[in-house]
Amino acid sequence: MDDLFKSKTSRRAFLQGSAAAVAGSMAGAAAASEPDPLITELQDWASYTGAGVDETPYGMPISFESHVVRRNVEWLTASPISSINFTPIHALEGTITPQGCAFERHHSGAIELRKEDYRLMINGLVETPLVFTYEDLERFPRENHVYFCECAANTGMEWAGAQLNGAQFTHGMIHNMEYTGVPLRTLLAEAGAEVSADRWVYVEGADASSNGRSIPMEKALDDVLVAFKANGEALRMEHGYPVRLVVPGWEGNMWVKWLRRIEVTDMAVESREETSKYTDVYEDGTARKWTWVMDAKSVITSPSPQMPIKHGKGPLVISGLAWSGHGRITRVDVSRDGGITWETARLGKQGDTKALTRFYLDIDWNGAPMLLQSRAIDETGYVQPTKDQLREQRGVNSVYHNNCIQTWYVNAEGVAENVEVS
Amino acid sequence: MSKFPNIFIPAVGGAALVMGVAYGFASRDYGADKIEVLESRVQQAEASVSVASEKAAAEADRAANLEQKISEVRTAASERVASGANLTAPAPVSESGYGLGRPAHPEEIAAWDVDVLPDGRGLPEGSGDVYTGEEVFVEKCASCHGDFAEGVDNWPVLAGGFDTLSDEDPVKTVGSYWPHLSTAWDYIHRSMPFGEAGTLTADETYAIVAYLLYSNDMVDDDFELSHENFTEVEMHNAEGFVVDDRPDLEYSAWRAEPCMENCKQEVEITMRSVFLVETLDEGGTESVMNQASAKGLPSFTADGPAFIPTAEIKPAEEASATPDAQVEEEADHGAQLLAAGEKVFKKCKACHAVGEGAKNKSGPQLNGVMGRQIGAVEDFGYSSVFQTAAEEGRVWDEAAMIEFLAKPKEYMKGTKMGFGGLKKEADIQAVITYLQSFDG
């Protein structure tokens, strides 16, 4: 009994001592010498009754978290109907993105399409062109997989140098969900599709943009899913309710929403989305096409411009995300000095293939400025390149596929800023 | 499997207890007169010891067997894990099919399968000339793309941009960049005009594409495009694309073990974020130019930063709110509503102009719209529901506007306006305040 009491008092003394020690560097650090009224005084919430069970039949985040939302940067596009917004990755943890704050990209706006009105056609080079209803899709054997979906333009602004101050805006065109769906190969087999290597699958949506894309047969037979659930519930309207395509590891534009037609063809359609857009212009003016795979990439989500260090010196959790369209993330290194010295980070859990992996570096921050960087390594041994490496290869005219190492300058007050370094 | 150790531990423990008691009896020292009694007891005890040890031996055997079994199960389990086999499996594919879905009707395929391939397959019969194309374009496309396909605001530029592809900001137009003409025909036919997709006839589409070729100086003004001469048009950038060559150029070089220590001598900050992105309470962002310079920031070596800059006072702290500010704020409520309305109106701007010199775009100009008769802007081609309202003498009063903006398609059934409506009442009030500030 005595021992227990002693250890309590000594712990309190320790807390007071350490609080006093850092008080100088912490804005608004409470003096621990006064008893905390949150503890000593009866609080409303401990006295009154709270909300009843049906207060929010479908729960929303508590109002205190109302800042953790998707946000757009209006001047990037001509109209919010053909535009993009960004996942608040800086404020999320773990790896699964809640649907309600997962980024949106529409080419002609998000449409409302009822399950009852949903039809999926498979035609082209098939034995029997077929039409499926939503209920038909539910009767095929299905699978569950966690995959990231990254817009090819994620980090695209940064080709021109440090542009937007915030991980949400530099890296937020990404989300990571558990999908439930029918393998595309199952539906192709059902229609008796020609599946030789020189065949293509053209997929399009039911919205006004249709957003058609051509997928080589090899990929179509591999891991593509015709998905109707995400994170256990129906897809959200903005993510293609009731059915979207999931094309693991490949650019988000190919993940056709409101999927209405699958056509087997003998050549790529070369639609607007795979010629005028989503192609990468080199320095000499020639362009790369069919750049489908999203290469390995990572970013530190905290600290970051929207997540400054507020607690001063001492224990600091550096937290970030890594992913690769080529498979699993096997390692992430973190630098605190702009790439002079690297330390291997701890992975939150072994990453799934083509899914986000959380990494951590737990440090004792000495209060000195840092240049924080992270670099991802995937199971193929590919190492995330620096901005200089990418520019040397591709120039700066590109919009898409910028998977460079990101740098945050963290000053002595813990404020972080998007910078470029030599 | 986890139950085995629980059964087996008490059994062994019980045997040990029996043996301990027997040993206690055998080692005790008693008087000689008791020897006989004791000897007989010793014999009894020895007998029990022997029974007990037999039992113990039997238990030990059982235990050994169980241990053997447990280790076999464990080995098998770890082998299964190591070999990657488990009970999860990919969804099976039935060789004979599932018999789900139904055959598609030819009419259904014709309705949906409208894509056009680079070799011209999929093009319907038809034709259109540059002159007709200009007329259609000005009517249906120019509000966003400009009369000469030069692009309005942030909307796509469709003409020009030749010889800019190697510039830092290449102008990627149908003329300068698009490798196939089929792409333009297909996209315009199925997805344009924005908000009225799928309404262009084949001939109109041929005409618009002919006009775009003309705008790009690729054909003369008497040119007519049809399904017959379609594939004869040569695209400027047809040879400008290579298939993804990252595997050769990048992956081969970037799959080496990276440097971990002393990777650079010194690191300097060469650029700071161009924009500070402020996140607003009501959602969205406001971008502000970052005035800070990279001068005065430390360089880094392996020993850390060269120096620690002194704390800067942040502008936000200087301008902390005073009680006076609060009074001003309340007086400012109207101005705020106006500002909020201007922000909401960004959702409308693509199709509606307002303010000095506002012209009709794909929607009518909105100067003085509040209080004005419905469907009254001259030279605007209203849908029939608006024409009817005009004939009935209906007016855009606040109640009508609130209802319309909340659910346009319900209030004006058949409106061409593509916008789905404003969900927030506050947004509707704000945008009405904003519209009220512009006289007709």
Side-chain angles (χ1 to χ4, degrees):
Chain A
M1 196 60 184
D2 266 354
D3 282 352
L4 191 62
F5 188 67
K6 265 184 208 159
S7 75
K8 266 190 180 170
T9 46
S10 61
R11 177 163 166 76
R12 179 187 287 178
F14 167 75
L15 286 174
Q16 283 174 353
S18 60
V22 296
S25 67
M26 285 167 70
S33 53
E34 293 294 318
D36 187 344
L38 282 168
I39 297 170
T40 57
E41 291 171 15
L42 180 62
Q43 302 298 320
D44 286 352
W45 60 81
S47 184
Y48 304 160
T49 54
V53 288
D54 264 351
E55 182 87 2
T56 50
Y58 192 99
M60 293 296 287
I62 195 164
S63 61
F64 313 128
E65 296 295 314
S66 61
H67 58 289
V68 185
V69 290
R70 303 184 275 235
R71 294 175 190 275
N72 73 348
V73 174
E74 280 179 7
W75 52 270
L76 288 178
T77 52
S79 151
I81 294 165
S82 176
S83 192
I84 188 130
N85 59 15
F86 303 91
T87 308
I89 54 168
H90 64 288
L92 301 177
E93 256 295 337
T95 57
I96 296 293
T97 314
Q99 289 202 73
C101 66
F103 84 97
E104 307 167 78
R105 169 70 168 118
H106 314 311
H107 293 253
S108 285
I111 58 166
E112 285 186 31
L113 177 56
R114 302 191 314 158
K115 281 178 187 167
E116 292 83 349
D117 297 338
Y118 178 78
R119 300 290 183 272
L120 174 63
M121 182 187 290
I122 298 193
N123 74 314
L125 303 173
V126 299
E127 274 169 31
T128 316
L130 292 175
V131 172
F132 300 111
T133 61
Y134 182 86
E135 284 176 334
D136 290 334
L137 293 182
E138 285 185 314
R139 297 175 65 194
F140 285 103
R142 63 183 85 127
E143 295 184 0
N144 295 291
H145 297 277
V146 177
Y147 293 121
F148 75 80
C149 172
E150 184 185 18
C151 176
N154 200 18
T155 323
M157 284 294 293
E158 307 294 305
W159 280 109
Q163 298 287 315
L164 296 172
N165 204 37
Q168 180 170 16
F169 311 109
T170 56
H171 289 77
M173 295 182 196
I174 192 164
H175 56 62
N176 191 64
M177 303 190 199
E178 184 198 46
Y179 293 97
T180 301
V182 179
L184 178 55
R185 62 174 170 274
T186 307
L187 300 182
L188 290 170
E190 188 74 10
E194 293 180 16
V195 293
S196 55
D198 58 352
R199 294 296 185 247
W200 293 75
V201 167
Y202 179 71
V203 285
E204 66 183 29
D207 63 318
S209 82
S210 92
N211 196 75
R213 289 295 304 251
S214 309
I215 298 173
M217 187 56 77
E218 189 187 0
K219 178 70 174 179
L221 296 177
D222 181 15
D223 53 5
V224 177
L225 284 182
V226 174
F228 44 84
K229 293 283 163 81
N231 297 345
E233 59 181 358
L235 291 165
R236 295 286 167 92
M237 172 182 78
E238 60 269 34
H239 300 132
Y241 179 94
V243 177
R244 87 173 305 170
L245 202 67
V246 168
V247 191
W250 288 20
E251 60 190 19
N253 181 257
M254 307 179 85
W255 297 45
V256 172
K257 298 187 283 190
W258 314 289
L259 179 71
R260 84 165 189 188
R261 198 170 68 94
I262 297 164
E263 181 183 356
V264 180
T265 61
D266 58 8
M267 68 192 296
V269 168
E270 303 273 10
S271 73
R272 175 197 189 246
E273 306 299 331
E274 52 201 13
T275 54
S276 79
K277 308 283 173 188
Y278 303 97
T279 47
D280 313 84
V281 184
Y282 285 141
E283 204 155 23
D284 67 359
T286 58
R288 237 177 219 167
K289 67 173 181 178
W290 302 352
T291 47
W292 302 308
V293 184
M294 302 307 296
D295 291 330
K297 186 165 170 179
S298 66
V299 65
I300 290 170
T301 51
S302 177
S304 68
Q306 295 157 282
M307 295 290 281
I309 306 169
K310 290 178 178 164
H311 54 60
K313 298 176 187 181
L316 169 68
V317 176
I318 297 173
S319 176
L321 291 168
W323 61 95
S324 169
H326 292 280
R328 285 182 174 77
I329 288 296
T330 51
R331 187 176 118 196
V332 180
D333 297 329
V334 171
S335 174
R336 295 188 245 170
D337 54 18
I340 299 169
T341 317
W342 292 89
E343 301 160 81
T344 295
R346 177 168 69 86
L347 301 187
K349 91 181 167 60
Q350 181 56 57
D352 286 322
T353 187
K354 301 166 190 175
L356 293 188
T357 296
R358 176 64 63 177
F359 67 85
Y360 298 107
L361 190 69
D362 309 288
I363 67 165
D364 182 8
W365 186 42
N366 62 7
M370 297 183 283
L371 286 173
L372 287 180
Q373 297 183 329
S374 63
R375 80 180 165 207
I377 303 176
D378 70 19
E379 64 177 299
T380 72
Y382 176 95
V383 183
Q384 183 184 358
T386 62
K387 272 189 176 177
D388 287 345
Q389 280 176 301
L390 278 177
R391 286 176 177 156
E392 199 179 310
Q393 272 296 329
R394 307 187 201 165
V396 295
N397 298 359
S398 207
V399 175
Y400 309 104
H401 294 282
N402 185 346
N403 66 323
C404 69
I405 290 174
Q406 172 66 42
T407 311
W408 306 127
Y409 169 64
V410 181
N411 71 15
E413 291 95 67
V415 175
E417 187 179 326
N418 179 11
V419 297
E420 261 187 38
V421 293
S422 59
Chain B
M1 191 180 91
S2 64
K3 279 187 179 168
F4 290 150
N6 294 341
I7 296 166
F8 145 85
I9 289 163
V12 172
L17 186 69
V18 173
M19 288 169 77
V21 171
Y23 179 80
F25 272 103
S27 63
R28 285 177 65 175
D29 192 20
Y30 285 89
D33 56 332
K34 298 286 183 187
I35 283 173
E36 270 184 33
V37 179
L38 279 175
E39 275 179 347
S40 76
R41 285 187 183 166
V42 165
Q43 279 166 7
Q44 284 171 13
E46 277 173 351
S48 352
V49 166
S50 122
V51 169
S53 64
E54 273 169 30
K55 273 189 183 167
E59 291 287 350
D61 275 354
R62 270 183 59 195
N65 282 337
L66 284 172
E67 267 185 3
Q68 173 76 21
K69 277 186 182 161
I70 289 167
S71 99
E72 279 171 18
V73 168
R74 282 191 178 146
T75 309
S78 61
E79 275 171 5
R80 260 212 315 275
V81 170
S83 72
N86 56 39
L87 289 176
T88 63
V93 179
S94 160
E95 284 192 13
S96 55
Y98 293 89
L100 295 170
R102 59 157 176 88
H105 290 285
E107 296 87 342
E108 291 172 335
I109 296 173
W112 276 8
D113 186 355
V114 294
D115 56 80
V116 180
L117 296 172
D119 58 14
R121 278 181 292 164
L123 278 172
E125 286 186 13
S127 64
D129 58 26
V130 171
Y131 181 76
T132 314
E134 183 178 11
E135 279 190 339
V136 181
F137 191 87
V138 167
E139 187 197 334
K140 302 197 171 186
C141 319
S143 66
C144 294
H145 295 294
D147 284 354
F148 306 101
E150 77 279 15
V152 174
D153 299 333
N154 250 347
W155 295 102
V157 185
L158 304 178
F162 293 91
D163 305 321
T164 66
L165 295 185
S166 53
D167 293 355
E168 278 216 3
D169 285 308
V171 181
K172 299 188 276 183
T173 72
V174 174
S176 70
Y177 192 64
W178 293 34
H180 308 287
L181 193 60
S182 57
T183 310
W185 202 99
D186 179 317
Y187 183 71
I188 292 165
H189 183 236
R190 83 165 75 203
S191 297
M192 289 287 116
F194 198 59
E196 287 173 87
T199 59
L200 293 173
T201 64
D203 287 346
E204 282 176 323
T205 310
Y206 280 110
I208 290 171
V209 174
Y211 178 66
L212 285 179
L213 291 173
Y214 172 72
S215 303
N216 278 290
D217 294 326
M218 292 164 68
V219 297
D220 293 326
D221 58 2
D222 58 356
F223 178 74
E224 185 181 57
L225 182 68
S226 73
H227 62 280
E228 285 170 323
N229 67 358
F230 193 90
T231 54
E232 290 163 22
V233 179
E234 282 180 24
M235 296 300 280
H236 177 74
N237 198 36
E239 304 303 320
F241 290 80
V242 295
V243 172
D244 189 3
D245 49 6
R246 286 177 294 176
D248 295 335
L249 295 177
E250 297 178 2
Y251 300 163
S252 53
W254 296 346
R255 280 181 176 152
E257 178 61 27
C259 171
M260 295 299 283
E261 278 179 355
N262 299 312
C263 305
K264 301 174 188 173
Q265 283 295 313
E266 192 182 15
V267 171
E268 282 179 357
I269 296 170
T270 54
M271 183 176 185
R272 300 179 70 161
S273 187
V274 172
F275 295 100
L276 301 176
V277 186
E278 291 171 6
T279 52
L280 309 172
D281 286 348
E282 66 269 29
T285 59
E286 200 76 58
S287 300
V288 180
M289 289 290 282
N290 185 8
Q291 304 297 342
S293 123
K295 281 179 195 165
L297 296 182
S299 62
F300 284 69
T301 64
D303 298 328
F307 61 92
I308 297 178
T310 48
E312 292 171 57
I313 297 165
K314 288 173 222 97
E317 282 171 12
E318 280 175 357
S320 62
T322 63
D324 288 345
Q326 206 174 338
V327 179
E328 277 171 36
E329 216 172 84
E330 277 163 24
D332 243 17
H333 180 70
Q336 274 182 17
L337 201 59
L338 200 63
E342 187 178 0
K343 198 162 174 286
V344 176
F345 192 73
K346 286 181 182 173
K347 293 181 177 166
C348 323
K349 250 161 81 173
C351 304
H352 293 284
V354 72
E356 212 182 311
K359 289 192 184 117
N360 294 335
K361 297 164 98 177
S362 50
Q365 59 88 1
L366 297 176
N367 284 340
V369 65
M370 295 307 297
R372 160 172 106 189
Q373 187 174 303
I374 293 179
V377 172
E378 271 177 45
D379 305 329
F380 186 77
Y382 284 101
S383 40
S384 57
V385 61
F386 276 82
Q387 289 167 17
T388 312
E391 282 157 20
E392 288 168 1
R394 284 163 62 194
V395 166
W396 280 125
D397 56 20
E398 227 175 286
M401 191 59 93
I402 288 171
E403 217 174 313
F404 177 64
L405 290 180
K407 288 186 173 167
K409 291 195 173 74
E410 279 184 25
Y411 187 70
M412 296 298 270
K413 279 203 170 61
T415 177
K416 284 193 289 186
M417 188 165 98
F419 186 60
L422 291 168
K423 289 195 180 65
K424 293 181 196 158
E425 229 179 275
D427 284 355
I428 294 175
Q429 281 302 343
V431 84
I432 287 176
T433 305
Y434 179 69
L435 289 173
Q436 277 164 343
S437 70
F438 295 97
D439 297 331

